[in-house]
Amino acid sequence: MLFQFTLKKNKKTAILLGTLAALFFATTFVLNRIMAVSGGSWQWTASLRFIWMLPILFIIVAIRGNLSSLLKEIKSNVVQWLLWSTIGFGLFYATLTFGASYGPSWLVASTFEFTIIAGMFIGPLIEKRGHRKAISKASLLFSIIIFIGIVLMQIAEAQSTSLNTMLLGTIPVLVGAIAYPLGNRKMMKISGNRLDAFQRTLGMTICSMPFWIVLSLFGYLENGLPTDSQLLQTFLVALCSGVIATLLFFTATDLVHHDHKALAAVEATQAMEVIFTLIGEVLILHAALPNGYSSIGIVMVVMGMILHSRST
C-alpha cells in the first residue's frame, strides 16, 4: 500500500514539475522567434544558450559538492556521453532554433510536441528485448490525437506560406523532437541512479560543448559576432529554459524513469508549451491569433496531453 501511494505521489509530482518546466521552456520559442525576426544568427542563438548554461550549472554542482563524482562518471564512459549529449542537446536545439526562422513560435512549439509520440516509441526500443514493455493502447490513442492536432496546424500554416518555407520550419523541428527524448533516455540509462538532475544536465552540457563551439564558429564566419541584444536574450533563454526548465523536467523524468507509462505522461506535459508560447507571442510580439484549423489543432494537442496525464 505504501509503495503504491509513493508511486502515485511521484507521478503527480512529476506531472506538476513537467508542467512548470513547460512554462519555462516556452520562453525558448518566444525569444528564439524574437531573435530570428530581428535578424539574429540561429547558430549563435543555439550555441550561446549552452555556453551561458555551462558556468551557471558548474557553480551549482560545485557548491553542492557533486562535481568530482560527475567528472568520474563521464570519464568512465566518455564516448557514450559525447554521443548522446550531442544528440540530446546539440541536435535537438540546433534544429529547434533553425526552425524558428521559418515559422511563428507557437507553430514551432506545436510541432515539437511530436516529442511525446517519439518518446513513447523510443522507451521500449532502447530496452533490451527481454525487458521491453508493450505500448499501451490508451497511450497510443492519446498520442494519435496529438499528432492529428499537429497535422491540422501544419495544414493551416501551409495555406499562408510556401511549401519550401513550411518544410524548412517543420522537418528540422521534427528531428529535434526525436533527438531530445532519445538523448535524454539514453543518458538516464547510462548514468543510472548515480547522478542527480543537476549533474546530468551539467554533464550533457559539457559533453555537447564541442558541437556548440563548431556551430558558433560557423555563426561567426557567416554573421560575425552576436549582437548585445542577442547576448542578453540567449542568457535569459539559458537561465529560464536551459537551467530552470531542464532541471525541472529532468527531475520529473527521474522520479518515474522506471515506469514507461508515467514517463510518457511527463513528456506529454510539454504540450502545455503550446499554450504558454501562444500567450507569450500574442502579448510580446502582438502576433495574430491562430485561425480555425490551428485553434482546433492546439485544442487537440492539449487534450491529448491531459488524457496522457489522467491515464496514469
Side-chain angles (χ1 to χ4, degrees):
M1 289 291 291
L2 179 61
F3 179 68
Q4 289 180 338
F5 173 76
T6 303
L7 283 177
K8 289 181 179 178
K9 185 179 179 182
N10 281 349
K11 289 176 184 177
K12 289 181 179 179
T13 302
I15 288 170
L16 175 61
L17 291 175
T19 304
L20 286 174
L23 174 61
F24 285 98
F25 272 133
T27 61
T28 293
F29 300 105
V30 177
L31 288 172
N32 282 356
R33 184 59 179 168
I34 291 173
M35 287 183 274
V37 170
S38 62
S41 159
W42 70 267
Q43 295 99 327
W44 279 119
T45 296
S47 56
L48 280 171
R49 165 181 161 168
F50 287 87
I51 291 171
W52 280 121
M53 280 172 59
L54 185 60
I56 297 172
L57 288 168
F58 189 90
I59 292 169
I60 292 172
V61 174
I63 290 174
R64 289 164 59 90
N66 294 329
L67 188 58
S68 59
S69 58
L70 167 63
L71 296 177
K72 184 179 179 181
E73 186 70 30
I74 294 173
K75 188 177 179 180
S76 68
N77 206 350
V78 67
V79 174
Q80 292 292 309
W81 271 90
L82 287 169
L83 172 63
W84 297 113
S85 297
T86 299
I87 292 173
F89 276 5
L91 186 60
F92 142 66
Y93 198 64
T95 53
L96 211 61
T97 51
F98 180 83
S101 303
Y102 294 93
S105 58
W106 63 264
L107 183 64
V108 175
S110 302
T111 305
F112 183 68
E113 298 320 310
F114 184 77
T115 192
I116 297 165
I117 301 170
M120 185 181 68
F121 284 98
I122 286 169
L125 286 174
I126 63 175
E127 292 287 350
K128 294 179 180 178
R129 288 198 173 185
H131 298 279
R132 290 178 182 174
K133 295 181 181 179
I135 298 169
S136 72
K137 292 180 180 179
S139 294
L140 183 60
L141 174 62
F142 304 151
S143 295
I144 289 172
I145 292 172
I146 293 169
F147 182 71
I148 292 172
I150 292 170
V151 171
L152 283 174
M153 286 183 284
Q154 297 299 334
I155 291 172
E157 184 65 14
Q159 295 174 350
S160 58
T161 60
S162 67
L163 177 62
N164 185 53
T165 299
M166 191 189 76
L167 291 176
L168 286 172
T170 301
I171 293 176
V173 178
L174 289 175
V175 172
I178 297 170
Y180 188 61
L182 177 59
N184 183 27
R185 292 196 181 201
K186 287 295 291 186
M187 286 313 309
M188 279 195 291
K189 287 184 69 67
I190 291 167
S191 59
N193 296 320
R194 296 181 296 276
L195 302 176
D196 61 24
F198 291 91
Q199 289 172 296
R200 186 153 56 89
T201 307
L202 174 59
M204 291 181 70
T205 302
I206 292 171
C207 292
S208 64
M209 204 50 57
F211 177 87
W212 299 122
I213 291 171
V214 171
L215 191 65
S216 62
L217 286 174
F218 277 105
Y220 174 75
L221 292 173
E222 188 175 320
N223 300 285
L225 293 172
T227 63
D228 291 341
S229 63
Q230 194 171 23
L231 286 170
L232 174 60
Q233 288 163 343
T234 51
F235 174 76
L236 292 175
V237 171
L239 185 62
C240 293
S241 181
V243 177
I244 298 173
T246 302
L247 290 174
L248 285 170
F249 184 70
F250 277 10
T251 301
T253 55
D254 283 345
L255 282 173
V256 293
H257 72 279
H258 292 301
D259 185 340
H260 286 300
K261 189 177 179 182
L263 193 57
V266 170
E267 288 173 338
T269 61
Q270 301 312 287
M272 286 303 295
E273 292 171 12
V274 181
I275 302 300
F276 296 139
T277 301
L278 177 60
I279 293 171
E281 183 158 6
V282 171
L283 293 177
I284 299 172
L285 291 173
H286 307 292
L289 290 171
N291 62 23
Y293 279 118
S294 295
S295 298
I296 294 171
I298 289 172
V299 170
M300 291 186 72
V301 168
V302 176
M303 185 191 304
M305 181 277 294
I306 294 171
L307 290 171
H308 254 302
S309 301
R310 290 180 66 86
S311 70
T312 63

